[in-house]
Amino acid sequence: MITKTKATLRHAVGGLQTRLIRLLPTHIPIAFKLALVMTLLLVLGMASLGLFISDNQNHLIRTQLHDFGNTMAQQLAKQASEPILSENSLNLRMLTANLDGDQKVLGAGVYAHDGKLLSATGIQPDLSAPLPDVPEVLSRPWFRHRANGSQERLISFIAPANYQGVRVGSAVVTLSASQMDKAATRARHAIVYATLAMTLLASLLAYWLSRRLSLPIHRLMEATRAIDRGDLATRIDQQRNDEIGFLFEGFNNMAAGLLRKSQVEEVFSRYVSKSVADKVLANLDEVRLVDRPIEATVLFADITGFTAMSEKLQPSQVSALLNEYFSYISRACALYGGVVDKFIGDCAMLVFGVLEDDNDHAFNAVSCAVLIQQLAAQLNQQRRADGKPEVHFRIGINSGAMLAGNLGSDERMEFTVVGDAVNLASRLCSEAQPDQIIIRQQLFTMLEPRITAQAEQTLPIRGKSTPVMIYSVQDIHLNYHLLLQANLKKILDIPVRQPSRRAIENA
């Protein structure tokens, strides 16, 4: 039972802590933090100063009260010493009556050496016990009860009355310590109110000052958020000659470096596949990618009759034509998970299942080839309408084992795939006719449920004892046409960046 109660109590305490943590703000502005710290420091300083002033004020009031009481008692004792000795009661009454006129004095009395009261006026302390025989003034605090039930603190100063060095009696002067306490309280209240007023003023000043100090930090924060959103052109245009100015300069240099890095990455990704570029840039300390054997698919797409066509065009027109069609091919390749390995003259080499795991790389390659042929057919309709020569592709595809990795030297290298399967794909491309897609029999057997192909002649391959049976791909099955048409529309709806509009119009 006790264990269960303790567990319940711990659960309740844990739930309370969780709720308290949730109530705390997730973000506290730095201006508020600065204002809070500055206010606390000012409050601490003002409170310490107020306590110091109050303590000094109280000490001064007490010192003044005691000095006044000692002086009055000594004067009364000096004046009453001879009347005490001569037992001149009239003179003693005159002395005490004169002190009664002072508002600060609540009572005055003259006592004989044996403690007998000789003359008194006002309030007198209880001196039933014999007065102490001391050479100096003695202060004795005591309380009296008022009619309203409250107590008043009093201080009686007892001074010895001596005549020619002989103690003849005592003089007693009674003052009110409550008045001293009231004066000290009033002074304390005044100091407290002044401290509160200064604290409020200091808090407002601290908040305004903290806002001013945190304004550059807010600018830096906004600029950092802009960088995070991708706006690498953001700069802080503010000149300062302090530490924050150096921070702004460092931020601008960092933003400029990020912009240059982004531009380098963008240019780099145009010269190599984006996937390859990402892998290289993610590990700049080890640029060389690991060579590894893989099962992948290679596609070669070559423009037929390009040599004769280029003889009739200007070099700028040839460049514009290649850039236009290679841009379309790159987009088609990316839509099916492939990467552009390289462009060889008017031929594009695409690989599937190399950088990313793709168990369906063979079918994706064939689908990409069909998409390229349909894309070329769509573009040729427009070219015929414009009176331009048509562009036709012949495509060879092959799957198999190959080695993926870097080729080249330490100064210049290239990520590609090599092997017998790659060479066979290139040979199939060279044997294809315009608008034809050629694959070998093994690939057709693997994809037969999803593609439509027609058997062609056998192809003798140099270095192989048996010829290769090839198939011409007509289309993919209707179940996959919806995606194919969507990809075709997506490519045609995006304009291609053209180096020269006039050159393309004349191409």
Side-chain angles (χ1 to χ4, degrees):
M1 183 65 180
I2 296 177
T3 304
K4 184 176 181 181
T5 303
K6 290 182 177 179
T8 304
L9 182 60
R10 285 196 299 268
H11 179 73
V13 172
L16 179 60
Q17 291 178 347
T18 303
R19 287 192 294 270
L20 290 176
I21 292 174
R22 290 177 179 175
L23 291 176
L24 294 176
T26 57
H27 172 70
I28 301 177
I30 191 172
F32 178 79
K33 295 179 181 179
L34 288 175
L36 181 61
V37 171
M38 295 173 66
T39 301
L40 289 177
L41 291 176
L42 290 172
V43 169
L44 182 62
M46 292 296 298
S48 301
L49 180 61
L51 290 175
F52 176 75
I53 295 175
S54 177
D55 184 68
N56 285 346
Q57 186 73 12
N58 292 338
H59 179 71
L60 179 61
I61 292 175
R62 287 194 300 269
T63 301
Q64 290 177 350
L65 181 66
H66 282 77
D67 290 344
F68 179 76
N70 290 338
T71 301
M72 297 302 294
Q74 287 175 355
Q75 288 181 356
L76 179 59
K78 183 178 181 180
Q79 294 174 0
S81 59
E82 186 174 349
I84 292 174
L85 188 61
S86 62
E87 299 181 356
N88 188 345
S89 58
L90 178 61
N91 198 0
L92 292 176
R93 285 195 297 270
M94 291 177 61
L95 291 175
T96 55
N98 290 335
L99 291 178
D100 189 46
D102 195 328
Q103 295 180 354
K104 298 179 181 179
V105 179
L106 300 183
V110 178
Y111 294 81
H113 185 63
D114 56 1
K116 179 182 178 181
L117 180 61
L118 300 179
S119 177
T121 182
I123 303 171
Q124 296 297 315
D126 183 11
L127 298 178
S128 56
L131 294 174
D133 189 5
V134 292
E136 298 178 351
V137 179
L138 176 66
S139 61
R140 178 179 294 180
W142 56 286
F143 293 89
R144 72 159 181 164
H145 295 279
R146 295 176 177 176
N148 57 5
S150 61
Q151 287 186 339
E152 182 180 11
R153 194 166 72 91
L154 305 174
I155 299 179
S156 295
F157 296 89
I158 305 171
N162 299 323
Y163 184 78
Q164 294 183 358
V166 179
R167 177 77 175 270
V168 296
S170 301
V172 179
V173 176
T174 301
L175 305 179
S176 175
S178 296
Q179 295 180 0
M180 177 189 68
D181 295 339
K182 291 179 180 179
T185 301
R186 288 193 298 268
R188 190 181 304 112
H189 288 170
I191 293 174
V192 169
Y193 294 148
T195 302
L196 291 177
M198 292 298 296
T199 299
L200 179 60
L201 182 62
S203 300
L204 297 177
L205 180 62
Y207 182 75
W208 176 81
L209 185 59
S210 62
R211 291 281 296 179
R212 294 282 298 177
L213 291 176
S214 63
L215 184 60
I217 300 178
H218 281 286
R219 292 178 179 173
L220 181 61
M221 183 175 64
E222 292 174 358
T224 304
R225 289 176 177 173
I227 292 291
D228 186 58
R229 292 192 301 267
D231 186 7
L232 301 180
T234 299
R235 299 292 185 272
I236 302 178
D237 297 329
Q238 185 175 2
Q239 301 295 329
R240 298 175 64 103
N241 57 355
D242 53 7
E243 291 81 357
I244 296 180
F246 286 108
L247 186 61
F248 285 170
E249 183 179 358
F251 173 84
N252 291 335
N253 293 336
M254 180 200 69
L258 290 175
L259 181 59
R260 287 193 297 270
K261 179 177 178 293
S262 175
Q263 293 171 343
V264 169
E265 291 179 358
E266 183 179 358
V267 173
F268 185 44
S269 63
R270 293 181 183 177
Y271 284 88
V272 298
S273 169
K274 186 178 185 303
S275 301
V276 176
D278 292 340
K279 289 183 177 296
V280 172
L281 294 173
N283 188 14
L284 294 177
D285 295 332
E286 183 61 40
V287 177
R288 179 175 293 276
L289 301 179
V290 179
D291 299 336
R292 59 191 179 95
I294 59 170
E295 284 285 334
T297 302
V298 181
L299 182 154
F300 284 89
D302 187 22
I303 300 178
T304 59
F306 182 76
T307 302
M309 184 188 304
S310 61
E311 291 177 353
K312 303 175 183 179
L313 301 175
Q314 298 294 327
S316 60
Q317 295 174 331
V318 174
S319 175
L321 179 65
L322 290 177
N323 287 335
E324 178 185 5
Y325 277 88
F326 284 163
S327 296
Y328 285 125
I329 290 176
S330 299
R331 293 174 184 173
C333 178
L335 289 174
Y336 284 98
V339 295
V340 177
D341 185 286
K342 62 175 68 69
F343 296 112
I344 312 169
D346 61 328
C347 179
M349 176 180 174
L350 314 180
V351 292
F352 297 81
V354 175
L355 294 176
E356 303 293 340
D357 293 334
D358 184 5
N359 296 326
D360 209 15
H361 52 81
F363 179 70
N364 287 332
V366 174
S367 299
C368 180
V370 175
L371 177 60
I372 292 174
Q373 295 292 19
Q374 292 192 8
L375 178 64
Q378 291 279 350
L379 295 176
N380 283 334
Q381 293 180 5
Q382 184 63 40
R383 295 183 70 85
R384 284 195 299 269
D386 296 338
K388 299 177 182 178
E390 298 181 11
V391 177
H392 299 274
F393 284 91
R394 54 184 180 182
I395 299 176
I397 303 174
N398 187 37
S399 292
M402 58 193 72
L403 184 67
N406 287 292
L407 291 179
S409 64
D410 292 337
E411 291 77 17
R412 181 179 176 84
M413 60 183 62
E414 177 187 28
F415 182 80
T416 186
V417 290
V418 294
D420 183 63
V422 179
N423 297 332
L424 181 56
S426 178
R427 178 65 187 278
L428 294 177
C429 178
S430 63
E431 293 294 331
Q433 298 299 316
D435 302 324
Q436 190 178 27
I437 304 171
I438 296 297
I439 61 175
R440 62 174 179 156
Q441 184 179 12
Q442 289 85 344
L443 186 57
F444 169 72
T445 303
M446 181 174 59
L447 301 178
E448 184 176 3
R450 293 186 286 178
I451 67 173
T452 302
Q454 182 179 357
E456 299 287 341
Q457 77 279 7
T458 58
L459 180 67
I461 301 297
R462 186 175 57 183
K464 292 185 178 294
S465 58
T466 58
V468 176
M469 183 67 182
I470 60 175
Y471 281 74
S472 175
V473 178
Q474 275 78 44
D475 203 351
I476 58 177
H477 281 184
L478 295 178
N479 295 339
Y480 308 98
H481 263 238
L482 185 62
L483 177 61
L484 181 69
Q485 295 303 317
N487 290 335
L488 179 61
K489 185 176 184 301
K490 184 184 299 184
I491 295 176
L492 292 175
D493 286 346
I494 301 176
V496 175
R497 180 183 295 178
Q498 302 170 354
S500 172
R501 184 179 300 274
R502 180 177 299 175
I504 293 178
E505 291 176 351
N506 296 330

